[in-house]
């Protein structure tokens, strides 16, 4: 039987610097990952990763002291340095932070000012941005007297690197002949097209959650094992048997995957609509996912609902989850894309929610 809890224990404020507010990162948060008193986060409109520290003193229950790290300063990118990477997932493995682009196409939006002809014309326009097709492994430098930071090369010789620096080496190229996913590579994200929206580290590999496509109600989870490439700063796809990736199919009641977060050997899966719709938004638990050693079809009884999350109409879409350790145990921190007005209580500040983990 499925259990559902959705009482918010409390709110947690994220205090952004002016540059991020100008870039609208604070209202486009797409990924978070807790890191021992710090929080890594990303928005989907830039090619940057942000770091915040848990505040003490005058700003309890908040993260602040934000610092921005540009992907282009850390790894070679396939597109222009300032072109958005649409980072939709962050994963942490010791001194490596993984950042994953959506790998998706974008269809233009209709705005209220557009007349019928212009509106129809915009709906026919689809663009492909190169920086969206990256999986970046970023070196975290921890030197004791300050918060962790992202560097191109760490003092111990570890180097940041990226899969997809050249399009021919990207995940989307590896999927070009896939019987389930290849047809969706040409379809934009919000049309149930291919769209990566979560990453979780699994041993030496990664789980990648797909918001789309949802296939006859089944969500898709990919597993990849990036390894050192022939060029410095570049990664290549390692092999699972004869393939460069592994597929799992999850019964999430017709929803797609909006984020992933490891919890011990389990995987917490944030599920929400693949299309441009409001709710429902749920957190499922895949027990023992870290021990999975073959492609799996994971049925609903293996994916109990841990939390049913609130959502608004046209706003407040849960987009990022992370387990954070607190004095009274582990909690789930949830952040929202298109936050509602009640989350924007002070200038440069947006509120996320803290839930008890069942």
């Amino acid at each position: 039987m499925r259990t559902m809890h959705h009482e918010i224990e409390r709110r947690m404020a994220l205090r952004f610097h002016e540059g991020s507010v100008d870039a609208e990162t604070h209202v486009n948060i797409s990924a978070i990952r807790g890191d021992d008193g710090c929080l890594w986060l990303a928005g989907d409109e830039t090619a940057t990763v942000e770091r915040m520290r848990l505040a003490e003193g005058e700003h309890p229950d908040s993260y602040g002291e934000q610092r921005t790290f540009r992907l282009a300063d850390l790894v070679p990118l396939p597109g222009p340095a300032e072109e958005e990477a649409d980072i939709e997932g962050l994963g942490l493995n010791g001194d490596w932070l993984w950042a994953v682009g959506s790998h998706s196409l974008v269809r233009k939006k209709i705005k209220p000012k557009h007349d019928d002809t212009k509106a129809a014309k915009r709906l026919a326009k689809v663009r492909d941005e190169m920086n969206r097709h990256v999986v970046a492994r970023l070196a975290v430098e921890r030197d004791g007297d300050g918060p962790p930071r992202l560097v191109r090369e760490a003092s111990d010789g570890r180097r940041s690197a990226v899969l997809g620096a050249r399009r021919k080496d990207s995940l989307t190229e590896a999927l070009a002949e896939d019987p389930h996913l290849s047809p969706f590579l040409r379809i934009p994200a919000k049309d149930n097209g291919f769209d990566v929206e979560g990453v979780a580290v699994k041993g030496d590999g990664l789980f990648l959650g797909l918001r789309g496509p949802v296939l006859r109600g089944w969500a898709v989870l990919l597993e990849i094992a990036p390894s050192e490439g022939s060029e410095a700063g570049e990664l290549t796809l390692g092999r699972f048997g004869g393939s460069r990736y592994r597929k799992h199919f999850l019964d999430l009641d017709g929803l797609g995957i909006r984020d992933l977060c490891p919890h011990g050997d389990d995987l917490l899966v944030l599920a929400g609509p693949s299309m441009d719709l409001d709710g429902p938004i749920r957190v499922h638990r895949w027990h023992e996912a870290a021990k999975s050693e073959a492609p799996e079809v994971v049925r609903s009884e293996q994916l109990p609902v841990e939390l049913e999350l609130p959502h608004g109409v046209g706003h407040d879409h849960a987009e990022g989850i992370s387990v954070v350790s607190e004095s009274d145990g582990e909690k789930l921190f949830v952040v929202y894309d298109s936050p509602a007005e009640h989350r924007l209580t002070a200038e440069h500040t947006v509120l996320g929610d803290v839930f008890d983990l069942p």
Side-chain angles (χ1 to χ4, degrees), residues 189-218:
K190 302 293 192 293
D191 303 354
N192 196 40
F194 187 81
D195 186 10
V196 178
E197 286 228 1
V199 60
V201 178
K202 178 196 172 192
D204 295 330
L206 301 174
F207 279 131
L208 302 179
L210 303 189
R211 177 176 175 174
V214 173
L215 304 175
R216 192 65 191 255
W218 291 80

Side-chain angles (χ1 to χ4, degrees), residues 145-187:
D145 52 350
R149 61 190 198 280
L150 300 177
V151 293
R152 185 180 275 269
E153 185 165 359
S155 54
D156 61 6
R158 288 175 302 113
R159 285 183 69 99
S160 293
V162 66
L163 177 71
R166 292 172 292 198
R167 187 61 175 271
K168 67 181 177 60
D169 299 324
S170 69
L171 172 65
T172 25
E173 286 303 306
L175 294 167
E177 304 295 322
D178 186 85
H180 295 101
L181 300 174
S182 61
F184 295 91
L185 296 174
R186 296 182 294 280
I187 299 173

Side-chain angles (χ1 to χ4, degrees), residues 16 37 40 52 57 59 69 75 78 80 84 90 100 107 135 138 144 151 171 174 179 268 278-279 286 327 334 343 345:
F16 287 86
W40 299 102
M52 290 185 173
H59 294 291
F69 298 89
V75 294
E84 71 177 57
L90 293 173
V100 179
R107 191 180 299 283
V135 177
L138 307 173
V151 293
L171 172 65
L268 299 176
D278 298 313
W286 179 9
S327 56
V334 181
R343 296 192 183 280
T345 52

Side-chain angles (χ1 to χ4, degrees), residues 4 6 70 82 108 134 162 228 234 306 321 330:
M4 295 186 193
H6 51 260
R70 295 168 71 244
E82 301 306 321
K108 286 218 162 184
V134 298
V162 66
E228 300 297 332
E234 295 186 14
E306 294 284 88
I321 57 173
E330 290 182 319

Side-chain angles (χ1 to χ4, degrees), residues 246-261:
R246 185 184 283 156
K247 285 176 293 195
H248 306 280
F249 300 98
L250 277 60
D251 182 0
L252 302 175
D253 288 338
L255 300 176
I257 297 169
R258 303 297 289 268
D259 200 13
L260 300 172
C261 181

Side-chain angles (χ1 to χ4, degrees), residues 68-113:
T68 295
F69 298 89
R70 295 168 71 244
L71 281 185
D73 295 338
L74 303 168
V75 294
L77 292 176
E82 301 306 321
E83 180 182 279
E84 71 177 57
D86 194 23
I87 295 170
E88 291 285 357
L90 293 173
L92 189 66
N93 181 19
D95 292 334
W96 296 112
L97 182 75
W98 291 88
V100 179
S102 65
H103 291 70
S104 66
L105 304 180
V106 193
R107 191 180 299 283
K108 286 218 162 184
K109 282 181 184 168
I110 295 177
K111 295 180 180 168
K113 65 180 183 186

